[in-house]
Amino acid sequence: MATDILKAFKPLFYPRSLAVIGASSDTTKFGNIILSALLEIGFEGQIYPVNTEGGEINGLKTYRSLEEIHGEVDFAVLTIPAPAVKSSLEECLRKGVRGVEILTSGFRETGTPEGRQLEEEIARFARRGIRILGPNCFGVYCPESGLTILPGQNFSRETGPVGFLSQSGGLCADLGQIAKGLGIRFSKMVSYGNGCDVAAGDLLEYFFADPKTRIIAGYLEGVDDGPRFLKILRENKGKKPVILWKAGLTETGSRAVMSHTGSLSGAAEVWSSGLKQAGVVQAGSAEEMIDVLYAFLYLPPNAGPRVALLGGGGAIGVAASDSLDRLGLSVPVLSPPILEKLRAVFPPVGNSLKNPVDLGNPMIPPPMLRKVMEAAGEDERIDTLIVIQILFYILYQVRHRLRMDHQPLSQFSFQPELLKTCREIREKYQKAIILVLPDIVTDGKMIDLEIEWRRERDHYQAAGFPVFKTLDRAAQALSHFVKYHQRLRAEGPSTSFAEA
């Protein structure tokens, strides 16, 4: 069955050729934006612009119709007005096109009888041998084949383990940009809009079957076939992590869903219960969903709930402990033998060593931090180390006091030595390490701090260490990750993400 599913979707993700119907030389129109995006990202196959005026667009010969194209066309992107879509689909069928994405809006989401009827009519074409994505969508991003969504010309061509489905094209556009800096890479990303044919259940089924997808994530507003969707989740529970943000769970949100994609959002209690039973990690915002995805990509399976908070200068303390406790994590007091070792090194004045370990100084030299990381690594009460560094704006001040404003901030950074320490502690104790590097400066004159922050984040990520901007975000992502793996171990699935 998995082979059949993969085969059915091949024209949507791996077309050998495609036509952009409604291609335009006007750079403000969808027909030009998507054509330019496909050219810039480097689509692997043949591209045929189609416009009734013919000529040339973006350096490519433009055809007046599909019939003028001599070669085969596997896939078509429709950027024409809604009333013209039906006749274009008829032409696609005659040409033997096997997959279509309709970027055009003006269908069910309008809330009008005419819009609903038009969508029902185009949906019937799917029963005649053509798969339809949309309408009212941004399309497909598949880095392996070079397909991309409407504004995705600079998305990464590096294939990764995340399969993402979304009713919102705008969220796909945002996520594709955000993901680049976080090291999140996709097998496929699909904006399916109204989902008149290919919809959430179909994509979920595909991602479970797709060997290139190891983590499934998505944004849902409404699901027309909720029982089937939940059934697919239950039948595949534990095989791959599924992270979903389900919107439209309030009365106001439900009204917004109807005007966006014309879907029915469903009752909050029903969805929350159904997703929980299916083992889905539920996020409540785009930021939370991205953070959880990030955690699943970077954290080892043995990352646990017993946390050592390590830092200085007021970054950690009672409030932080309360925050972790509410999320089902704990901050256990370090064991007596470990505490004795720390007390022999650090004076009692200005330091709090029990856990959280607060050394009272925001500029903790790596040799000092190594000692507390060694202690937390050695302590059997600790599963996960969270290291908090708040020194970025202090680096800026130090450089200024030394009258070396012309020098790059990297010259004053502890990052190389701290990264070396993190690697050695991880290797020695086999425990998860998370870094929190607050990015709190908003002064435009200090933009080089933002550049330095990203540079350091990139170095930590390249070594496999996740970096969060706040402790709350790190804790929330860790909590979701830990609870997912705790459920897997408790239920004993035949296949788990950790084993994949």
Side-chain angles (χ1 to χ4, degrees), residues 119-140:
E119 185 162 322
E120 289 169 2
E121 290 172 355
I122 66 169
R124 295 190 192 109
F125 281 87
R127 296 194 285 270
R128 296 168 62 185
I130 189 169
R131 297 311 306 262
I132 300 173
L133 196 65
N136 186 32
C137 72
F138 275 12
V140 172

Side-chain angles (χ1 to χ4, degrees), residues 291 294-295 434-438 453 466-470 473-474 477-478:
D291 285 347
Y294 185 65
I434 297 170
L435 288 132
V436 175
L437 306 181
W453 187 94
V467 177
F468 292 88
K469 290 189 175 184
T470 69
R473 290 176 64 176
L478 174 63

Side-chain angles (χ1 to χ4, degrees), residues 414-441:
F414 292 159
Q415 177 265 319
E417 194 173 349
L418 180 55
L419 176 56
K420 181 174 182 289
T421 296
C422 288
R423 280 178 162 147
E424 291 172 355
I425 297 296
R426 180 178 61 186
E427 178 68 23
K428 184 175 180 179
Y429 297 104
Q430 298 296 304
K431 292 184 179 181
I433 298 174
I434 297 170
L435 288 132
V436 175
L437 306 181
D439 182 17
I440 60 175
V441 175

Side-chain angles (χ1 to χ4, degrees), residues 139-213:
V140 172
Y141 164 52
C142 177
E144 188 175 9
S145 66
L147 278 178
T148 193
I149 66 170
L150 190 62
Q153 72 276 6
N154 64 338
F155 283 10
S156 173
R157 280 299 304 271
E158 183 182 354
T159 299
V162 179
F164 186 74
L165 59 102
S166 174
Q167 281 178 284
S168 167
L171 180 60
C172 287
D174 291 345
L175 182 57
Q177 300 296 344
I178 294 167
K180 289 173 68 177
L182 297 178
I184 298 172
R185 297 294 181 262
F186 298 90
S187 58
K188 287 94 181 172
M189 174 191 287
V190 184
S191 157
Y192 63 92
N194 295 6
C196 78
D197 173 31
V198 175
D202 306 295
L203 293 167
L204 185 66
E205 204 168 47
Y206 174 86
F207 284 139
F208 274 121
D210 180 24
K212 295 181 174 66
T213 299

